[in-house]
Amino acid sequence: MSFVLLPLLSVAQDADQEYELRSNEKEGWIINKKGEKIEGVLRLMGSEDSPWVNQQKVRFIAKSDIDPSKKRQKLKVLDVDDLKGYAAYDGDVLREFELIKYTNVRESSRGGSGIGGSIKSIKNLSNSNHIAEVMIKGPITVYRLYGLPTAVAVGNKQVQEMEDDLKRLRSTPSILVSKNGGKIEELNSSDMKKLTEDCEYVRAKMLNKKYTSYDPDKEEKKRSKMGALLKSEMELDGEKIQKMALEILTDYNANCGK
């Protein structure tokens, strides 16, 4: 199914020259290194099988460069060195990506065995600039960040290990948070109290169990250092923290964000 790019109709000479988006093209914009917003057509280079690619590059053509008489347009590949961010409409949903600086130390420790594991560790340690997808935007901003995989495996054991790791990477991205433009860090449930303590409205709802994702009796009880560490590791690989963020931190931004 194709979508008519309405903003481009003004550059068409007649109805037969209206440029129609191809199935893998999206309306949207980029933010270049100068901070300028440029509208146009984007092609996301990542997929459900390789979502981490969207953190590294995107294809783009500016609206002003489109020739509506041509069915195919030449989209240029832009990467982290060219952008501060980009956004694309995926159906009716706007997906926004923002350049962040973060070293995925935790994922580098999961390199695995053999040369492939070593390459994966190096990739995750050496790549500190990512165009991460924004889950929540506001005074508290939450990002979704996928680990970078290896493409090298030698022998059946390493091949199976790589395939298992790819499945995990696709389904368990890291969830990162930054408050008021501060340091970007991994998010877990123990951060929820700290992040919202300046918002009486949200804290009251948390303590009164108004959020289905948050039980203060379980989340705010004291734990040993080892118990807290184990709990944190379990959450960082699950959907629980994503549900908390969408429910609680979105409410924070709407009611107490400045």
Side-chain angles (χ1 to χ4, degrees):
M1 182 179 181
S2 60
F3 298 87
V4 176
L5 186 57
L6 296 177
L8 301 182
L9 297 182
S10 61
V11 301
Q13 294 179 0
D14 54 56
D16 293 332
Q17 287 185 305
E18 294 173 2
Y19 176 64
E20 291 187 354
L21 292 175
R22 300 176 67 81
S23 60
N24 59 349
E25 293 176 348
K26 316 290 183 185
E27 293 183 59
W29 62 81
I30 64 167
I31 305 295
N32 65 19
K33 283 296 186 182
K34 296 179 181 179
E36 299 168 330
K37 178 180 176 180
I38 304 172
E39 295 183 353
V41 172
L42 298 95
R43 187 180 303 151
L44 301 182
M45 298 182 69
S47 65
E48 289 186 2
D49 288 334
S50 59
W52 45 82
V53 178
N54 289 328
Q55 299 168 182
Q56 301 167 309
K57 53 193 173 182
V58 68
R59 289 185 180 273
F60 176 75
I61 184 171
K63 181 170 66 173
S64 58
D65 293 332
I66 289 178
D67 182 348
S69 66
K70 295 181 179 180
K71 291 186 177 181
R72 288 182 177 270
Q73 307 293 322
K74 186 175 181 180
L75 278 67
K76 182 179 179 181
V77 176
L78 303 175
D79 61 23
V80 294
D81 294 326
D82 306 308
L83 300 170
K84 286 188 175 180
Y86 69 86
Y89 281 98
D90 195 354
D92 293 330
V93 177
L94 179 66
R95 298 180 63 184
E96 294 188 71
F97 295 78
E98 181 181 318
L99 184 68
I100 66 169
K101 193 172 185 66
Y102 183 80
T103 302
N104 201 337
V105 176
R106 190 170 69 95
E107 194 58 53
S108 72
S109 68
R110 296 173 160 183
S113 62
I115 187 172
S118 298
I119 291 173
K120 182 191 171 189
S121 294
I122 292 170
K123 284 175 68 175
N124 282 281
L125 281 176
S126 61
N127 283 270
S128 57
N129 291 322
H130 313 271
I131 313 173
E133 186 161 11
V134 179
M135 289 179 60
I136 301 170
K137 192 174 184 178
I140 295 180
T141 301
V142 178
Y143 304 94
R144 180 186 291 116
L145 185 77
Y146 292 90
L148 303 176
T150 184
V152 178
V154 179
N156 292 337
K157 179 182 177 181
Q158 289 185 28
V159 168
Q160 185 60 54
E161 188 178 81
M162 182 180 71
E163 290 177 352
D164 291 343
D165 192 51
L166 286 170
K167 291 179 183 178
R168 182 187 60 79
L169 288 172
R170 295 182 188 112
S171 61
T172 58
S174 294
I175 306 303
L176 311 179
V177 66
S178 172
K179 185 172 182 179
N180 297 325
K183 184 179 179 181
I184 295 173
E185 300 178 297
E186 282 187 310
L187 177 65
N188 59 55
S189 64
S190 63
D191 299 316
M192 291 296 172
K193 179 180 177 181
K194 177 180 67 176
L195 288 167
T196 60
E197 61 187 359
D198 59 344
C199 181
E200 292 184 9
Y201 174 81
V202 169
R203 279 300 292 156
K205 289 178 69 174
M206 291 169 70
L207 293 172
N208 288 307
K209 301 182 181 181
K210 298 296 184 181
Y211 298 112
T212 58
S213 62
Y214 193 86
D215 183 346
D217 296 337
K218 294 180 179 180
E219 305 302 338
E220 300 188 20
K221 72 176 182 180
K222 291 184 179 180
R223 287 182 171 82
S224 66
K225 288 186 178 180
M226 181 58 70
L229 179 62
L230 291 173
K231 178 175 179 290
S232 174
E233 280 298 310
M234 289 176 63
E235 287 178 352
L236 291 170
D237 271 347
E239 296 183 1
K240 175 182 176 180
I241 195 63
Q242 297 186 57
K243 292 178 180 178
M244 281 189 190
L246 290 170
E247 194 173 19
I248 298 170
L249 301 183
T250 299
D251 207 18
Y252 175 98
N253 285 343
N255 291 281
C256 294
K258 296 179 180 179

